[in-house]
Amino acid sequence: MPQSTDLISSIQDQYVDIIEVYANYFVKLSAKSHSPKNITVAVFKANIENLEKFRIKELKKLNDKDIEKKFNPTSINYISRSLDVPRETIRRNILTLVDNSELIRSDEGLFVSEKWIKKNIDKIISEVIDLIDKSNYLTKKIDRKS
């Protein structure tokens, strides 16, 4: 399904809770897996959880210092529990992700990096739009059968 520029702009002007919902379901579907994408999305979900009045389009403007100030930190234990993967496995993977500058590790906790956001946010927005399109399609299909 083609994605209109208007829809993409509209999504980017929304608050991050749309992405939080997407990330929450992604993490639930990713249980028992410790791929780098699953770990970084789980960190991202925790970072943006319950952020009030923060727009999606603002994400790309953040640098690593801003991310540490504005996002919620998370821990290895939280990610381990979220993905239902042993803590030590998550810890080893996080070391690699920090070395690759995908994650930031500070005294407060773990954060996705500016590099990760710039590389992934457009893809996440596209996946959110696809989910909206599929939901609309299913809703119309169900309405026709009613």
Side-chain angles (χ1 to χ4, degrees):
M1 292 180 200
Q3 297 175 1
S4 75
T5 307
D6 291 341
L7 182 56
I8 292 169
S9 295
S10 175
I11 293 291
Q12 290 184 2
D13 202 38
Q14 300 300 311
Y15 295 112
V16 295
D17 56 351
I18 291 174
I19 293 179
E20 182 185 345
V21 169
Y22 162 82
N24 187 41
Y25 283 105
F26 181 88
V27 168
K28 286 181 181 180
L29 293 173
S30 301
K32 306 254 186 233
S33 178
H34 59 87
S35 75
K37 180 178 180 179
N38 297 351
I39 292 171
T40 54
V41 171
V43 171
F44 181 62
K45 175 201 163 293
N47 288 165
I48 65 170
E49 196 166 47
N50 301 318
L51 280 187
E52 298 286 325
K53 306 295 183 197
F54 196 85
R55 296 191 187 276
I56 293 169
K57 66 183 176 186
E58 296 171 3
L59 291 172
K60 289 186 189 178
K61 298 176 185 175
L62 297 175
N63 61 38
D64 288 342
K65 295 275 187 217
D66 291 334
I67 289 167
E68 289 184 63
K69 286 180 196 169
K70 296 180 184 211
F71 282 10
N72 302 313
T74 192
S75 68
I76 292 172
N77 289 335
Y78 180 84
I79 302 306
S80 171
R81 286 190 311 270
S82 294
L83 295 174
D84 195 21
V85 173
R87 183 191 185 286
E88 184 57 25
T89 302
I90 296 297
R91 187 194 67 77
R92 282 193 310 272
N93 282 277
I94 283 175
L95 290 175
T96 302
L97 290 165
V98 169
D99 287 345
N100 293 337
S101 301
E102 299 285 322
L103 294 179
I104 302 164
R105 189 172 188 180
S106 72
D107 292 341
E108 284 78 39
L110 296 167
F111 303 89
V112 292
S113 68
E114 169 188 1
K115 174 184 172 184
W116 184 88
I117 289 174
K118 284 185 171 47
K119 186 168 96 175
N120 291 283
I121 199 63
D122 287 334
K123 191 182 321 174
I124 290 171
I125 290 169
S126 176
E127 290 173 5
V128 167
I129 291 170
D130 285 346
L131 286 172
I132 291 169
D133 287 343
K134 287 175 181 149
S135 172
N136 289 337
Y137 171 77
L138 288 173
T139 300
K140 287 175 186 173
K141 196 171 186 176
I142 290 168
D143 286 345
R144 278 182 279 182
K145 289 186 177 186
S146 299

